[in-house]
Amino acid sequence: GDVGVWDFDLVTGQVHADESWIRRLGYRPEDVTNHRSWWDALQHPSTKPAVVAAFARLVNGEQSLYRVEHRMRQADGQWLWFLTTGAITERDAAGQPLRMSGTTANITERKELQERLILSERLAALGTLAAGVGHEINNPLTYIGLNLALLERELQGNEKLLALLGQIRYGTERVSTVVRDLQALTRVPEDQDALLDVNAIV
């Protein structure tokens, strides 16, 4: 898979990464300074705080495993998602961490799939909400329509009031059209049987 192995000297700040993985990012191994600052410069501002916080928790002993999802820049400028994991591999006599090692895996495709799934779930929830709203609006519209019909019969001959009722009916019909459009948008199309001319299709 698209996974790179690295080793980080916490005393000198030197980072040694798998050269083949560096090339997959679009960089030449000779362009890498092998210092932490070079890698820090690749971090995306939105995820860099998470990287710093995870590292601090590891060094402070709050966590035994370094694990963080973050974005880094390829040589072509594209931002990719990575999952980096690591652990302290060497300590001094006092127990202070001297070295850590780990792996960094490209998870861009997985993150994009997750984002599409989240968007799909949001759209489905929106559709359910729209269908529910449409149903709730339809009920009072029915009462309004029935009462308008009764009023129109009672007010025959009163052109002024009938004209006002006509405006009310027009407004309710507009609302009813919007509700029908909402329901059509959220309704799952049903399979329909039909006769086909096989010769024409062939």
Side-chain angles (χ1 to χ4, degrees), residues 36 39-40 43-44 46-58 66-72 82 84:
R36 176 183 177 178
W39 293 95
D40 284 345
Q43 301 297 326
H44 193 280
S46 67
T47 55
K48 191 170 184 177
V51 172
V52 173
F55 177 73
R57 288 193 298 270
L58 178 74
Y66 175 80
R67 179 183 174 88
V68 63
E69 291 185 1
H70 59 109
R71 296 174 72 191
M72 283 197 304
F82 296 91
T84 296

Side-chain angles (χ1 to χ4, degrees), residues 32-181:
V32 181
T33 63
N34 285 337
H35 193 271
R36 176 183 177 178
S37 59
W38 190 88
W39 293 95
D40 284 345
L42 301 184
Q43 301 297 326
H44 193 280
S46 67
T47 55
K48 191 170 184 177
V51 172
V52 173
F55 177 73
R57 288 193 298 270
L58 178 74
V59 173
N60 295 336
E62 297 174 35
Q63 290 183 203
S64 59
L65 181 67
Y66 175 80
R67 179 183 174 88
V68 63
E69 291 185 1
H70 59 109
R71 296 174 72 191
M72 283 197 304
R73 187 179 61 248
Q74 278 195 139
D76 62 5
Q78 183 181 4
W79 294 99
L80 301 180
W81 276 99
F82 296 91
L83 170 62
T84 296
T85 57
I88 301 297
T89 54
E90 185 180 344
R91 297 177 183 273
D92 62 16
Q96 292 300 310
L98 298 176
R99 184 180 298 277
M100 63 182 293
S101 302
T103 61
T104 299
N106 187 337
I107 58 168
T108 303
E109 185 176 345
R110 191 192 80 188
K111 292 292 286 188
E112 289 174 349
L113 287 172
Q114 287 176 343
E115 289 171 2
R116 286 200 291 270
L117 178 61
I118 291 170
L119 178 60
S120 175
E121 290 173 346
R122 285 177 179 170
L123 289 174
L126 184 61
T128 302
L129 176 64
V133 168
H135 179 73
E136 290 302 318
I137 292 174
N138 255 339
N139 289 334
L141 278 179
T142 302
Y143 308 145
I144 293 171
L146 290 172
N147 285 311
L148 279 175
L150 289 173
L151 285 171
E152 285 168 346
R153 281 203 299 269
E154 291 292 327
L155 295 172
Q156 287 300 319
N158 190 329
E159 297 302 322
K160 184 177 180 180
L161 289 178
L162 284 173
L164 290 173
L165 289 178
Q167 292 179 16
I168 295 172
R169 181 174 291 282
Y170 173 74
T172 57
E173 287 173 353
R174 288 288 303 274
V175 174
S176 182
T177 300
V178 171
V179 170
R180 282 198 302 273
D181 289 345

Side-chain angles (χ1 to χ4, degrees), residues 4-35:
V5 179
W6 50 266
D7 181 76
F8 178 24
D9 188 325
L10 301 179
V11 179
T12 64
Q14 294 295 299
V15 178
H16 298 281
D18 178 4
E19 287 192 3
S20 64
W21 187 73
I22 290 173
R23 291 185 189 280
R24 287 200 299 275
L25 291 177
Y27 299 102
R28 297 179 305 174
E30 55 267 30
D31 295 333
V32 181
T33 63
N34 285 337
H35 193 271

